[in-house]
Amino acid sequence: MSRRLRWALAVAVLLALAVVGGRMAMLRKAQAAATPVAAPLPIELSAGDVAAARRTELGATLAVTGSLKAVDSAFVKARVAAEVAQLGVREGDRVAAGQLIGRLDDTEFRWKLKQAEDQASAAEAQLEIAQKTLDNNKALVDQGFISKTALDTSVSSANGAHASLQAAKAAAEIARKSVRDCEIRAPIAGLVSQRVVQVGERVAVDAKLVEIVDLSRLELEAAVPPEDVIGLRVGQTAKLQVDGLAEPVAARIARIAPSTQSGTRAVMAYLQLLPGPAAAGLRQGLFARGSIEVARRSALVVPASALRFDQARPYVLVAAGGKAVRRPVVAGARGEVGFGAAPEAAVEVAEGLAEGDIVLRGSVGALREGTAIQLASSSPR
Protein backbone atom coordinates (compact mmCIF):
# COMPACT_ATOMS: atom_id res chain seq x y z
CA MET A 1 0.00 0.00 0.00
CA SER A 2 1.34 3.33 -0.99
CA ARG A 3 2.12 6.08 1.55
CA ARG A 4 -0.51 8.40 0.05
CA LEU A 5 -3.23 5.81 0.55
CA ARG A 6 -2.30 5.23 4.20
CA TRP A 7 -2.56 8.99 4.92
CA ALA A 8 -6.00 9.17 3.33
CA LEU A 9 -7.27 6.25 5.45
CA ALA A 10 -5.98 7.91 8.66
CA VAL A 11 -7.68 11.21 7.90
CA ALA A 12 -10.94 9.43 7.19
CA VAL A 13 -10.83 7.60 10.55
CA LEU A 14 -10.20 10.86 12.45
CA LEU A 15 -13.10 12.58 10.76
CA ALA A 16 -15.40 9.68 11.61
CA LEU A 17 -14.36 9.79 15.29
CA ALA A 18 -14.94 13.59 15.49
CA VAL A 19 -18.45 13.21 14.10
CA VAL A 20 -19.31 10.44 16.58
CA GLY A 21 -17.88 12.45 19.52
CA GLY A 22 -19.90 15.52 18.58
CA ARG A 23 -23.09 13.53 18.40
CA MET A 24 -22.40 11.95 21.83
CA ALA A 25 -21.78 15.37 23.41
CA MET A 26 -25.01 16.73 21.99
CA LEU A 27 -26.84 13.69 23.35
CA ARG A 28 -25.40 14.13 26.84
CA LYS A 29 -26.29 17.85 26.82
CA ALA A 30 -29.84 17.09 25.87
CA GLN A 31 -30.13 14.47 28.62
CA ALA A 32 -28.75 16.94 31.21
CA ALA A 33 -31.24 19.59 30.14
CA ALA A 34 -34.08 17.11 30.44
CA THR A 35 -33.04 16.02 34.00
CA PRO A 36 -34.66 18.32 36.73
CA VAL A 37 -32.23 20.01 39.21
CA ALA A 38 -33.06 19.30 42.86
CA ALA A 39 -33.78 22.51 44.87
CA PRO A 40 -31.50 23.07 47.95
CA LEU A 41 -33.09 22.20 51.30
CA PRO A 42 -34.03 25.22 53.44
CA ILE A 43 -32.11 25.93 56.67
CA GLU A 44 -34.34 25.28 59.67
CA LEU A 45 -34.12 27.91 62.39
CA SER A 46 -35.06 27.29 66.01
CA ALA A 47 -36.94 29.67 68.27
CA GLY A 48 -33.66 30.86 69.77
CA ASP A 49 -32.33 31.90 66.35
CA VAL A 50 -35.04 34.46 65.61
CA ALA A 51 -36.91 37.25 67.37
CA ALA A 52 -39.77 39.55 66.51
CA ALA A 53 -39.19 43.29 66.38
CA ARG A 54 -41.35 44.74 69.14
CA ARG A 55 -42.26 48.14 70.49
CA THR A 56 -41.61 48.45 74.19
CA GLU A 57 -40.21 50.68 76.91
CA LEU A 58 -36.47 50.91 76.33
CA GLY A 59 -34.13 52.24 78.95
CA ALA A 60 -31.38 54.13 77.17
CA THR A 61 -28.09 53.17 78.82
CA LEU A 62 -24.56 54.52 79.03
CA ALA A 63 -21.75 51.96 79.10
CA VAL A 64 -19.13 52.45 81.82
CA THR A 65 -15.98 50.62 82.85
CA GLY A 66 -13.53 51.01 85.68
CA SER A 67 -12.01 49.49 88.78
CA LEU A 68 -13.61 48.97 92.16
CA LYS A 69 -12.27 51.09 94.99
CA ALA A 70 -13.08 51.23 98.68
CA VAL A 71 -14.84 54.40 99.76
CA ASP A 72 -12.81 54.41 102.98
CA SER A 73 -9.14 53.48 102.88
CA ALA A 74 -6.08 54.77 104.67
CA PHE A 75 -2.31 54.45 104.69
CA VAL A 76 -0.84 54.19 108.17
CA LYS A 77 2.32 56.32 108.11
CA ALA A 78 5.20 56.78 110.50
CA ARG A 79 4.88 59.95 112.55
CA VAL A 80 8.48 59.84 113.72
CA ALA A 81 11.74 58.60 112.22
CA ALA A 82 12.60 55.34 113.98
CA GLU A 83 13.16 51.63 113.62
CA VAL A 84 10.16 49.30 113.32
CA ALA A 85 10.18 47.32 116.57
CA GLN A 86 6.91 45.44 116.14
CA LEU A 87 4.26 45.00 113.42
CA GLY A 88 1.70 42.32 114.16
CA VAL A 89 -0.56 42.40 111.10
CA ARG A 90 -0.26 41.11 107.55
CA GLU A 91 -2.31 41.24 104.36
CA GLY A 92 -5.88 40.06 104.91
CA ASP A 93 -5.94 40.61 108.69
CA ARG A 94 -8.98 42.43 110.04
CA VAL A 95 -8.37 45.38 112.35
CA ALA A 96 -10.59 47.70 114.40
CA ALA A 97 -10.44 51.46 114.50
CA GLY A 98 -7.83 52.55 117.06
CA GLN A 99 -6.34 49.05 117.41
CA LEU A 100 -2.63 48.89 118.28
CA ILE A 101 -1.07 46.98 115.38
CA GLY A 102 2.62 47.75 115.89
CA ARG A 103 5.26 49.89 117.53
CA LEU A 104 8.32 51.88 116.56
CA ASP A 105 11.43 51.85 118.73
CA ASP A 106 10.81 54.60 121.31
CA THR A 107 14.06 54.36 123.32
CA GLU A 108 15.42 57.65 122.03
CA PHE A 109 12.12 59.47 122.54
CA ARG A 110 11.69 58.20 126.11
CA TRP A 111 15.10 59.59 127.01
CA LYS A 112 14.17 62.89 125.39
CA LEU A 113 10.96 62.89 127.40
CA LYS A 114 12.90 62.30 130.63
CA GLN A 115 15.28 65.12 129.68
CA ALA A 116 12.37 67.49 129.03
CA GLU A 117 10.68 66.51 132.30
CA ASP A 118 13.90 67.14 134.26
CA GLN A 119 14.26 70.53 132.59
CA ALA A 120 10.68 71.33 133.54
CA SER A 121 11.42 70.35 137.15
CA ALA A 122 14.50 72.57 137.16
CA ALA A 123 12.51 75.47 135.71
CA GLU A 124 9.85 74.94 138.37
CA ALA A 125 12.50 75.14 141.10
CA GLN A 126 13.91 78.33 139.62
CA LEU A 127 10.41 79.79 139.58
CA GLU A 128 9.93 78.97 143.27
CA ILE A 129 13.22 80.71 144.13
CA ALA A 130 12.32 83.74 142.00
CA GLN A 131 8.85 83.91 143.56
CA LYS A 132 10.23 83.77 147.13
CA THR A 133 12.77 86.46 146.28
CA LEU A 134 10.01 88.61 144.87
CA ASP A 135 7.86 88.17 147.98
CA ASN A 136 10.78 89.10 150.25
CA ASN A 137 11.68 92.13 148.18
CA LYS A 138 8.09 93.35 148.32
CA ALA A 139 8.29 93.33 152.12
CA LEU A 140 11.69 95.01 152.11
CA VAL A 141 10.67 97.79 149.73
CA ASP A 142 7.70 98.55 151.98
CA GLN A 143 10.10 98.96 154.88
CA GLY A 144 12.48 101.07 152.78
CA PHE A 145 15.40 98.65 152.89
CA ILE A 146 15.67 98.23 149.09
CA SER A 147 14.92 100.47 146.17
CA LYS A 148 12.01 100.25 143.75
CA THR A 149 14.48 99.28 141.01
CA ALA A 150 15.56 96.19 142.93
CA LEU A 151 11.91 95.18 143.22
CA ASP A 152 11.39 95.59 139.50
CA THR A 153 14.35 93.34 138.87
CA SER A 154 12.83 90.67 141.11
CA VAL A 155 9.53 90.93 139.23
CA SER A 156 11.31 90.45 135.91
CA SER A 157 13.24 87.47 137.25
CA ALA A 158 10.03 85.84 138.46
CA ASN A 159 8.31 86.43 135.13
CA GLY A 160 11.30 84.99 133.28
CA ALA A 161 11.32 81.92 135.51
CA HIS A 162 7.59 81.42 134.91
CA ALA A 163 8.08 81.65 131.11
CA SER A 164 10.97 79.17 131.31
CA LEU A 165 8.75 76.74 133.20
CA GLN A 166 6.01 77.01 130.58
CA ALA A 167 8.51 76.42 127.77
CA ALA A 168 9.93 73.40 129.60
CA LYS A 169 6.46 71.95 130.09
CA ALA A 170 5.69 72.46 126.38
CA ALA A 171 8.93 70.68 125.44
CA ALA A 172 7.96 67.82 127.74
CA GLU A 173 4.54 67.54 126.08
CA ILE A 174 6.17 67.43 122.62
CA ALA A 175 8.50 64.68 123.81
CA ARG A 176 5.56 62.82 125.33
CA LYS A 177 3.71 63.05 122.01
CA SER A 178 6.74 61.60 120.20
CA VAL A 179 6.60 58.61 122.54
CA ARG A 180 2.89 58.14 121.78
CA ASP A 181 3.60 58.50 118.05
CA CYS A 182 5.76 55.39 118.26
CA GLU A 183 2.55 53.42 118.65
CA ILE A 184 1.14 52.25 115.29
CA ARG A 185 -2.66 52.28 115.45
CA ALA A 186 -5.31 51.59 112.80
CA PRO A 187 -7.16 54.82 111.89
CA ILE A 188 -10.18 52.93 110.48
CA ALA A 189 -11.73 49.49 110.72
CA GLY A 190 -11.16 47.16 107.80
CA LEU A 191 -8.74 44.70 106.24
CA VAL A 192 -5.00 45.09 105.79
CA SER A 193 -4.46 45.54 102.06
CA GLN A 194 -0.68 45.67 102.06
CA ARG A 195 2.19 45.68 104.53
CA VAL A 196 4.97 47.88 103.20
CA VAL A 197 7.72 47.47 105.85
CA GLN A 198 9.19 44.71 107.96
CA VAL A 199 10.42 44.59 111.55
CA GLY A 200 13.93 46.02 111.86
CA GLU A 201 13.63 48.55 109.03
CA ARG A 202 14.29 52.18 109.85
CA VAL A 203 11.60 54.43 108.42
CA ALA A 204 11.45 58.16 107.84
CA VAL A 205 8.71 60.53 108.85
CA ASP A 206 5.54 59.97 106.74
CA ALA A 207 6.84 56.64 105.43
CA LYS A 208 4.01 54.24 104.51
CA LEU A 209 3.74 51.27 106.85
CA VAL A 210 0.38 49.57 106.25
CA GLU A 211 -2.65 50.16 104.02
CA ILE A 212 -6.13 49.43 105.40
CA VAL A 213 -9.30 49.27 103.29
CA ASP A 214 -12.91 49.07 104.37
CA LEU A 215 -14.68 46.69 101.96
CA SER A 216 -18.11 47.34 103.45
CA ARG A 217 -18.53 50.20 100.96
CA LEU A 218 -17.16 49.83 97.43
CA GLU A 219 -17.61 52.10 94.44
CA LEU A 220 -16.75 52.08 90.75
CA GLU A 221 -14.67 54.95 89.40
CA ALA A 222 -15.85 55.47 85.81
CA ALA A 223 -14.53 58.03 83.33
CA VAL A 224 -17.51 59.40 81.38
CA PRO A 225 -16.98 61.20 78.04
CA PRO A 226 -17.91 64.90 78.17
CA GLU A 227 -20.69 64.49 75.59
CA ASP A 228 -22.45 61.89 77.78
CA VAL A 229 -22.11 63.47 81.20
CA ILE A 230 -25.08 65.80 80.65
CA GLY A 231 -27.49 62.89 81.06
CA LEU A 232 -26.01 61.71 84.37
CA ARG A 233 -27.75 62.41 87.67
CA VAL A 234 -26.95 61.43 91.23
CA GLY A 235 -29.18 58.51 92.19
CA GLN A 236 -29.43 56.90 88.74
CA THR A 237 -29.21 53.10 88.91
CA ALA A 238 -26.78 50.84 87.11
CA LYS A 239 -25.94 47.16 86.69
CA LEU A 240 -22.31 46.12 86.86
CA GLN A 241 -20.66 42.93 85.71
CA VAL A 242 -17.55 42.24 87.76
CA ASP A 243 -14.82 39.95 86.46
CA GLY A 244 -15.15 36.54 88.05
CA LEU A 245 -18.72 37.12 89.24
CA ALA A 246 -21.61 35.37 87.51
CA GLU A 247 -24.42 37.59 88.78
CA PRO A 248 -24.59 41.35 88.04
CA VAL A 249 -24.22 43.79 90.92
CA ALA A 250 -26.63 46.68 91.46
CA ALA A 251 -25.18 50.16 91.91
CA ARG A 252 -26.21 53.79 91.89
CA ILE A 253 -24.44 57.05 91.12
CA ALA A 254 -23.27 58.49 94.44
CA ARG A 255 -21.16 61.42 93.22
CA ILE A 256 -20.18 63.19 89.99
CA ALA A 257 -16.96 65.16 89.81
CA PRO A 258 -17.49 68.90 89.26
CA SER A 259 -14.61 69.23 86.80
CA THR A 260 -13.04 67.26 83.96
CA GLN A 261 -9.81 65.32 84.02
CA SER A 262 -6.83 67.07 82.51
CA GLY A 263 -5.84 65.59 79.16
CA THR A 264 -8.82 63.30 78.54
CA ARG A 265 -11.51 65.89 79.41
CA ALA A 266 -13.53 63.03 80.88
CA VAL A 267 -15.66 63.46 83.99
CA MET A 268 -15.33 60.98 86.84
CA ALA A 269 -18.55 59.39 88.07
CA TYR A 270 -18.58 57.32 91.26
CA LEU A 271 -21.06 54.42 91.38
CA GLN A 272 -21.61 52.99 94.84
CA LEU A 273 -22.32 49.25 94.94
CA LEU A 274 -25.56 48.41 96.72
CA PRO A 275 -25.56 45.74 99.46
CA GLY A 276 -26.61 42.28 98.38
CA PRO A 277 -25.47 38.68 98.02
CA ALA A 278 -23.76 39.42 94.70
CA ALA A 279 -21.63 42.18 96.26
CA ALA A 280 -20.32 39.97 99.06
CA GLY A 281 -16.71 38.95 98.66
CA LEU A 282 -15.74 41.69 96.22
CA ARG A 283 -12.27 43.19 96.52
CA GLN A 284 -10.70 46.53 95.74
CA GLY A 285 -9.10 46.72 92.30
CA LEU A 286 -11.43 44.31 90.49
CA PHE A 287 -12.38 45.42 86.98
CA ALA A 288 -16.07 45.96 86.27
CA ARG A 289 -18.17 46.96 83.29
CA GLY A 290 -21.78 47.94 83.21
CA SER A 291 -24.47 50.33 82.05
CA ILE A 292 -26.28 53.28 83.59
CA GLU A 293 -29.91 53.85 82.68
CA VAL A 294 -30.07 57.51 81.68
CA ALA A 295 -33.52 57.62 80.02
CA ARG A 296 -36.61 55.49 79.28
CA ARG A 297 -38.97 55.80 76.29
CA SER A 298 -41.04 53.76 73.84
CA ALA A 299 -39.02 52.35 70.93
CA LEU A 300 -39.00 49.59 68.29
CA VAL A 301 -36.26 47.20 69.36
CA VAL A 302 -34.52 44.03 68.21
CA PRO A 303 -31.84 41.92 69.89
CA ALA A 304 -28.45 43.59 69.69
CA SER A 305 -26.94 40.41 68.20
CA ALA A 306 -29.24 40.75 65.17
CA LEU A 307 -27.49 43.94 64.07
CA ARG A 308 -24.76 43.22 61.50
CA PHE A 309 -21.89 45.47 60.45
CA ASP A 310 -20.08 43.60 57.66
CA GLN A 311 -21.58 45.90 55.00
CA ALA A 312 -21.23 49.61 54.38
CA ARG A 313 -24.38 50.27 56.41
CA PRO A 314 -25.73 48.37 59.45
CA TYR A 315 -28.40 45.86 58.54
CA VAL A 316 -30.44 42.93 59.82
CA LEU A 317 -31.55 39.70 58.15
CA VAL A 318 -35.33 39.35 58.05
CA ALA A 319 -37.29 36.15 57.44
CA ALA A 320 -39.62 37.00 54.55
CA GLY A 321 -41.14 34.65 51.97
CA GLY A 322 -39.10 31.70 53.20
CA LYS A 323 -35.81 33.49 52.58
CA ALA A 324 -33.29 35.61 54.45
CA VAL A 325 -33.72 39.19 53.26
CA ARG A 326 -31.25 41.98 54.07
CA ARG A 327 -32.77 45.18 55.49
CA PRO A 328 -30.56 48.24 56.07
CA VAL A 329 -31.51 49.92 59.35
CA VAL A 330 -30.74 53.02 61.39
CA ALA A 331 -29.77 52.02 64.92
CA GLY A 332 -30.53 54.12 67.98
CA ALA A 333 -30.26 53.76 71.74
CA ARG A 334 -29.26 50.56 73.46
CA GLY A 335 -30.67 48.90 76.54
CA GLU A 336 -32.08 45.65 77.89
CA VAL A 337 -35.40 44.08 76.81
CA GLY A 338 -36.95 40.69 77.54
CA PHE A 339 -37.36 38.91 74.19
CA GLY A 340 -37.42 35.56 75.94
CA ALA A 341 -37.21 34.28 79.49
CA ALA A 342 -34.55 36.76 80.59
CA PRO A 343 -33.67 40.32 79.61
CA GLU A 344 -30.96 40.70 77.00
CA ALA A 345 -29.10 43.45 75.20
CA ALA A 346 -31.33 45.25 72.71
CA VAL A 347 -30.95 48.07 70.22
CA GLU A 348 -33.49 50.57 68.93
CA VAL A 349 -34.29 50.51 65.20
CA ALA A 350 -35.26 54.01 64.11
CA GLU A 351 -35.69 53.14 60.41
CA GLY A 352 -35.84 50.02 58.26
CA LEU A 353 -38.17 47.67 60.17
CA ALA A 354 -41.81 47.38 61.15
CA GLU A 355 -43.24 45.94 64.33
CA GLY A 356 -43.58 42.16 64.09
CA ASP A 357 -40.79 41.61 61.52
CA ILE A 358 -38.88 38.40 62.26
CA VAL A 359 -35.14 39.07 62.47
CA LEU A 360 -32.34 36.53 62.60
CA ARG A 361 -30.06 36.65 65.63
CA GLY A 362 -26.31 36.54 65.36
CA SER A 363 -26.36 32.89 66.49
CA VAL A 364 -27.31 31.78 62.94
CA GLY A 365 -23.94 32.96 61.67
CA ALA A 366 -23.22 34.46 58.27
CA LEU A 367 -26.03 33.81 55.77
CA ARG A 368 -26.23 35.07 52.21
CA GLU A 369 -29.20 37.13 51.23
CA GLY A 370 -31.78 34.88 49.57
CA THR A 371 -30.84 31.76 51.53
CA ALA A 372 -33.88 29.52 51.94
CA ILE A 373 -34.92 29.28 55.58
CA GLN A 374 -37.67 27.53 57.50
CA LEU A 375 -38.91 28.67 60.91
CA ALA A 376 -39.60 26.11 63.59
CA SER A 377 -43.16 25.78 64.76
CA SER A 378 -42.30 27.41 68.12
CA SER A 379 -40.63 30.43 66.50
CA PRO A 380 -42.26 33.85 66.93
CA ARG A 381 -44.70 34.82 64.21
Side-chain angles (χ1 to χ4, degrees), residues 299-330:
L300 183 67
V301 297
V302 297
S305 63
L307 199 61
R308 300 169 184 262
F309 298 94
D310 56 326
Q311 300 290 334
R313 288 183 55 190
Y315 71 96
V316 296
L317 291 177
V318 178
K323 296 181 179 180
V325 180
R326 185 169 65 90
R327 294 270 186 88
V329 296
V330 176

Side-chain angles (χ1 to χ4, degrees), residues 87-109:
L87 192 58
V89 294
R90 292 192 175 275
E91 290 82 357
D93 289 344
R94 183 173 294 278
V95 296
Q99 177 182 338
L100 181 65
I101 60 176
R103 188 182 298 276
L104 300 177
D105 186 10
D106 59 357
T107 304
E108 177 183 354
F109 302 104

Side-chain angles (χ1 to χ4, degrees), residues 24-330:
M24 292 296 294
M26 292 177 64
L27 180 61
R28 286 195 296 270
K29 188 174 181 180
Q31 290 175 349
T35 303
V37 178
L41 295 177
I43 298 176
E44 184 172 351
L45 302 179
S46 66
D49 293 328
V50 295
R54 52 178 297 196
R55 185 167 294 277
T56 184
E57 288 289 324
L58 176 67
T61 58
L62 172 64
V64 291
T65 59
S67 298
L68 299 184
K69 184 179 180 180
V71 176
D72 297 320
S73 63
F75 267 107
V76 183
K77 297 183 179 181
R79 297 181 179 180
V80 294
E83 183 179 302
V84 180
Q86 178 187 352
L87 192 58
V89 294
R90 292 192 175 275
E91 290 82 357
D93 289 344
R94 183 173 294 278
V95 296
Q99 177 182 338
L100 181 65
I101 60 176
R103 188 182 298 276
L104 300 177
D105 186 10
D106 59 357
T107 304
E108 177 183 354
F109 302 104
R110 287 190 177 276
W111 281 108
K112 288 183 177 181
L113 173 60
K114 187 177 185 306
Q115 180 185 28
E117 289 175 342
D118 291 343
Q119 290 175 347
S121 298
E124 188 174 4
Q126 291 295 326
L127 176 60
E128 290 179 1
I129 295 173
Q131 189 64 44
K132 289 180 180 180
T133 302
L134 176 60
D135 294 340
N136 293 333
N137 287 344
K138 285 182 178 180
L140 293 174
V141 76
D142 292 339
Q143 299 174 9
F145 289 105
I146 62 173
S147 64
K148 185 68 169 59
T149 303
L151 179 62
D152 293 340
T153 302
S154 299
V155 172
S156 298
S157 298
N159 291 337
H162 184 270
S164 297
L165 176 60
Q166 296 301 317
K169 287 183 176 180
E173 288 298 324
I174 294 175
R176 191 172 291 107
K177 180 181 181 300
S178 297
V179 174
R180 291 196 302 267
D181 287 344
C182 290
E183 297 179 347
I184 305 173
R185 295 187 178 273
I188 62 173
L191 297 174
V192 176
S193 174
Q194 57 176 319
R195 169 173 162 161
V196 184
V197 298
Q198 301 298 329
V199 175
E201 292 185 34
R202 183 170 181 83
V203 295
V205 178
D206 284 338
K208 295 179 180 179
L209 306 177
V210 172
E211 183 186 15
I212 300 174
V213 297
D214 181 8
L215 298 181
S216 62
R217 293 196 302 162
L218 292 174
E219 63 183 12
L220 172 70
E221 292 184 333
V224 180
E227 61 270 15
D228 296 327
V229 75
I230 303 299
L232 292 185
R233 298 289 184 274
V234 174
Q236 287 175 335
T237 59
K239 288 186 177 180
L240 304 179
Q241 190 65 50
V242 183
D243 286 351
L245 198 64
E247 297 294 328
V249 181
R252 67 176 183 86
I253 299 180
R255 307 186 311 280
I256 302 174
S259 58
T260 62
Q261 298 286 309
S262 59
T264 62
R265 309 300 296 173
V267 177
M268 298 301 297
Y270 301 90
L271 285 70
Q272 184 174 350
L273 275 63
L274 300 180
L282 294 179
R283 293 294 185 266
Q284 178 173 260
L286 292 177
F287 184 79
R289 62 182 62 85
S291 57
I292 305 172
E293 185 175 301
V294 295
R296 180 167 289 274
R297 57 188 175 84
S298 176
L300 183 67
V301 297
V302 297
S305 63
L307 199 61
R308 300 169 184 262
F309 298 94
D310 56 326
Q311 300 290 334
R313 288 183 55 190
Y315 71 96
V316 296
L317 291 177
V318 178
K323 296 181 179 180
V325 180
R326 185 169 65 90
R327 294 270 186 88
V329 296
V330 176

